[in-house]
């Protein structure tokens, strides 16, 4: 008897992982660039910390609300399409079955087998709706991402990411370059972790995020230095 292999897959539905990843990266890049900009302008330590904390709070709230709204809207759109599909299944089950048969045959399934499966599904409306949702919409109705999970993940991870470049100032140090260096380490570590999720080499993911963050910091530092605190 052949043993059934068990496969464990990562979250690819756009739930907590995507929100957490974007939240952490945005928090790091946003506050690194913000600190570089105001630091380049020559502000004092207190003003820099206040700016960084304000950026952390405002950004985390904005990310949380944005993720909640985005996922909630997406789920509502999917729900509307599912309701439409359910009405079609109730009004024209034979036509919907023919539609499935056509898609499966186009993928190489023998027509008699495709027809047999489609006819069986007509007797099970719930399963028919699930199959049509997967085939036509590319979604699994009972596995949609939670807007609250996405919002919470994004909020927390943005705050954690934004806190990293502030750590040295909060610990009493007064060096912009030390803060940016710690932020750079955070970017590299975050990119390396994401690389592990995606099978990308950890060092490649880390270097990519470090390079992108460095570009953002360089741009804002230059603007801050040009404008200065006297404006």
């Amino acid at each position: 008897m052949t043993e059934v292999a068990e496969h464990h897959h990562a979250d690819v539905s756009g739930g907590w992982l995507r929100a957490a990843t974007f939240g952490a990266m945005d928090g790091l890049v946003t506050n690194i660039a913000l600190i570089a900009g105001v630091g380049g302008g020559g502000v004092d330590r207190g003003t820099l910390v206040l700016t960084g904390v304000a950026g952390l709070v405002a950004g985390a709230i904005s990310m949380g609300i944005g993720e909640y709204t985005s996922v909630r809207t997406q789920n509502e759109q999917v729900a509307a399409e599912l309701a439409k599909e359910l009405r079609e299944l109730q009004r024209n089950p034979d036509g919907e079955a023919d539609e499935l048969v056509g898609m499966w045959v186009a993928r190489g399934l023998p027509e008699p087998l495709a027809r047999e499966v489609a006819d069986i599904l007509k007797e099970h409306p719930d399963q028919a709706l699930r199959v049509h949702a997967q085939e036509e919409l590319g979604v699994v109705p009972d596995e949609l991402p939670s807007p609250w999970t996405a919002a919470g993940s994004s909020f927390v991870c943005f705050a954690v990411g934004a806190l990293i470049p502030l750590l040295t100032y909060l610990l009493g140090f007064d060096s912009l370059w030390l803060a940016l260096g710690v932020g750079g380490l955070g970017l590299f570590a975050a990119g390396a972790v994401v690389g592990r999720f995606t099978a990308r080499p950890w060092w490649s993911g880390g270097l990519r995020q470090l390079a992108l963050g460095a570009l953002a910091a360089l741009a804002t530092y230059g603007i801050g230095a040009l404008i200065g605190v006297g404006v």
Side-chain angles (χ1 to χ4, degrees):
M1 182 176 178
T2 303
E3 182 179 354
V4 178
E6 293 187 5
H7 299 282
H8 301 282
H9 297 285
D11 166 40
V12 295
S13 63
W16 71 269
L17 178 58
R18 181 188 64 85
T21 300
F22 282 131
M25 294 302 180
D26 281 357
L28 278 161
V29 174
T30 296
N31 250 17
I32 287 172
L34 189 59
I35 289 171
V38 296
V43 302
D44 58 77
R45 176 179 174 274
T47 302
L48 192 149
V49 171
L50 176 60
T51 302
V53 171
L56 184 157
V57 174
I61 293 173
S62 176
M63 286 292 293
I65 292 174
E67 279 294 332
Y68 177 86
T69 303
S70 173
V71 176
R72 178 75 179 264
T73 301
Q74 177 183 341
N75 287 355
E76 289 173 347
Q77 183 180 19
V78 170
E81 291 298 319
L82 289 174
K84 177 181 177 182
E85 191 64 38
L86 180 59
R87 289 192 298 269
E88 291 297 323
L89 286 169
Q90 293 170 340
R91 294 172 182 171
N92 186 20
D94 292 333
E96 291 297 304
D98 290 341
E99 189 176 9
L100 279 180
V101 171
M103 288 188 289
W104 288 338
V105 169
R107 295 178 186 175
L109 197 67
E111 184 172 353
L113 179 57
R115 174 63 61 183
E116 180 181 358
V117 175
D119 287 341
I120 293 174
L121 282 174
K122 286 194 296 183
E123 307 300 322
H124 303 277
D126 290 342
Q127 288 302 318
L129 179 61
R130 182 184 178 92
V131 171
H132 276 274
Q134 289 178 281
E135 294 291 340
E136 297 181 36
L137 304 177
V139 299
V140 180
D142 54 357
E143 295 182 7
L144 297 178
S146 164
W148 288 108
T149 298
S153 299
S154 183
F155 178 92
V156 171
C157 291
F158 184 99
V160 171
L163 179 63
I164 291 175
L166 280 174
L167 283 176
T168 57
Y169 283 104
L170 296 176
L171 292 174
F173 296 95
D174 192 15
S175 170
L176 174 63
W177 300 110
L178 179 60
L180 295 180
V182 170
L185 290 175
L187 275 173
F188 183 87
V193 170
V194 171
R196 298 295 295 174
F197 277 112
T198 61
R200 184 186 183 93
W202 64 270
W203 54 267
S204 176
L207 288 176
R208 180 179 65 179
Q209 294 304 324
L210 179 59
L212 293 173
L215 287 174
L218 182 62
T220 54
Y221 180 86
I223 293 172
L226 286 173
I227 296 176
V229 295
V231 176

